[in-house]
Amino acid sequence: MKVVTLLSIIFMTVFLTACSAYNVDQRRQTAQSIATKGGFQPFKLKTKSFSFEGYFKKGKELSEPIIYIEGDGFAWIDKYTISRNPTPRDPVGLKLASIDSASSVFYLPRPCQYVELTTEKNCAQKYWTNARFSPEVIASFHQALEQIKRKFDARGFHLVGFSGGGAVATLLTAQRDDIRSLRTVAGNLDHVSLNRQRKVSPLTESLNPIDFATRVRKTPQVHFVGREDEIIPKWVAKNFVEATRGRSCASYYYVSNVTHAKGWEKLWGNLHKKVFSCKVEGLSD
């Protein structure tokens, strides 16, 4: 009986490991398919702490490319279980990037997404949980942007971040002088207040975007919010815009029939073309 039990455990372990690897491979294939369909090519960057495996399409105008930053990905299996691999099952950020009609667009996943975790020495689970917006994570994005800047002779960037990628994009904007515009889609712009309201564990090792709101006050920006988003409620973007104390540059835009991750694809073809400047205040569709 003990032998049978032991064999069952071994079988289940091998089975679950194989399923996990298969799922990650499927997620990578999904991303590759989306990127290829959008005319993107893969690229790799190595920073001091993390590797990035992203995609780009290079047009004639490369001086100020658009950089899309992915969301948190498959960070949690359920409320109590951390995922072993944060590679997105539904890469919304990549989908939006593939729709963008600009000539030069780069897509950056978050640290530890899409890469081979067995060879990434710094990919501890904290980097897709409580340290997802840590100083070392933000530093890795700075290094990635600098590499893109040198390789493609770029002068500045337009940042677009989905969900947690919106937090990263905002923190980068607060710390750089070459960000020409900022857009967040369902952006997590105040995780401290949000987690407190939900009575869930705080992101103890993460920077909080709203603490840096005044530093982005002069950057043209719009924060898109899904009216049916139950993960990042509408007040998050509203409070962030108010915290910038510069509403002539910062705006929020409520979008109907959109949840946190569903519905953006259908509307982004028009939404991403909206012209915004430092004269727009809170808007609504």
Side-chain angles (χ1 to χ4, degrees), residues 70 88 90-97 162 185 260-262 264-265:
E70 188 57 81
D90 181 22
V92 176
L94 178 57
K95 289 178 178 179
L96 300 184
F162 167 69
V185 178
H260 185 67
K262 302 298 182 182
W264 293 110
E265 268 183 274

Side-chain angles (χ1 to χ4, degrees), residues 157-176:
F157 304 102
H158 298 273
L159 300 186
V160 184
F162 167 69
S163 190
V168 174
T170 301
L171 291 166
L172 289 171
T173 302
Q175 298 173 12
R176 300 180 69 92

Side-chain angles (χ1 to χ4, degrees), residues 3-272:
V3 174
V4 174
T5 302
L6 179 59
L7 288 174
S8 298
I9 293 172
I10 292 173
F11 173 78
M12 286 303 296
T13 301
V14 172
F15 177 76
L16 290 173
T17 301
C19 284
S20 176
Y22 175 77
N23 288 337
V24 173
D25 287 342
Q26 285 293 97
R27 287 179 246 164
R28 290 177 180 138
Q29 290 172 16
T30 296
Q32 180 64 60
S33 177
I34 294 168
T36 300
K37 193 174 295 184
F40 284 67
Q41 304 174 45
F43 73 92
K44 296 183 180 182
L45 293 175
K46 180 72 174 178
T47 67
K48 290 181 180 179
S49 298
F50 303 103
S51 298
F52 289 89
E53 295 193 10
Y55 296 96
F56 77 104
K57 64 173 181 178
K58 184 178 65 172
K60 293 181 179 180
E61 181 52 57
L62 264 170
S63 61
E64 294 182 354
I66 300 174
I67 310 289
Y68 280 75
I69 301 175
E70 188 57 81
D72 296 338
F74 188 41
W76 291 84
I77 295 174
D78 57 41
K79 187 176 180 180
Y80 306 101
T81 312
I82 301 172
S83 169
R84 292 186 178 183
N85 191 308
T87 298
R89 294 181 296 178
D90 181 22
V92 176
L94 178 57
K95 289 178 178 179
L96 300 184
S98 71
I99 294 168
D100 199 306
S101 59
S103 64
S104 297
V105 180
F106 289 77
Y107 165 77
L108 286 174
R110 301 278 288 286
C112 308
Q113 295 180 354
Y114 298 108
V115 298
E116 182 52 62
L117 295 186
T118 57
T119 60
E120 290 292 315
K121 62 180 181 179
N122 291 323
C123 276
Q125 289 182 335
K126 72 175 185 176
Y127 288 118
W128 55 91
T129 54
N130 71 307
R132 66 185 71 170
F133 311 130
S134 62
E136 56 266 39
V137 165
I138 303 305
S140 70
F141 276 96
H142 282 301
Q143 294 161 25
L145 292 183
E146 288 304 311
Q147 289 186 43
I148 293 173
K149 204 171 187 179
R150 289 195 299 271
K151 183 172 182 178
F152 296 98
D153 197 28
R155 295 194 302 268
F157 304 102
H158 298 273
L159 300 186
V160 184
F162 167 69
S163 190
V168 174
T170 301
L171 291 166
L172 289 171
T173 302
Q175 298 173 12
R176 300 180 69 92
D177 60 5
D178 57 358
I179 305 303
R180 308 302 186 228
S181 70
L182 167 67
R183 284 172 286 173
T184 69
V185 178
N188 191 350
L189 303 173
D190 183 5
H191 60 78
V192 172
S193 297
L194 184 59
N195 287 9
R196 186 184 297 129
Q197 184 197 63
R198 291 176 170 173
K199 298 181 180 179
V200 298
S201 300
L203 306 183
T204 54
E205 297 183 57
S206 290
L207 301 172
N208 193 23
I210 201 168
D211 293 340
F212 300 83
T214 57
R215 298 191 190 181
V216 302
R217 62 183 300 181
K218 294 183 180 180
T219 302
Q221 63 194 273
V222 62
H223 305 283
F224 293 100
V225 183
R227 287 189 182 275
E228 283 72 51
D229 191 339
E230 296 182 356
I231 296 177
I232 308 291
K234 295 189 287 290
W235 60 261
V236 174
K238 182 176 183 294
N239 288 359
F240 182 86
V241 168
E242 291 174 353
T244 64
R245 300 178 185 173
R247 293 191 63 179
S248 62
C249 286
S251 63
Y252 52 89
Y253 193 97
Y254 293 154
V255 184
S256 299
N257 303 314
V258 173
T259 66
H260 185 67
K262 302 298 182 182
W264 293 110
E265 268 183 274
K266 296 178 181 179
L267 302 175
W268 194 244
N270 291 322
L271 287 177
H272 88 276

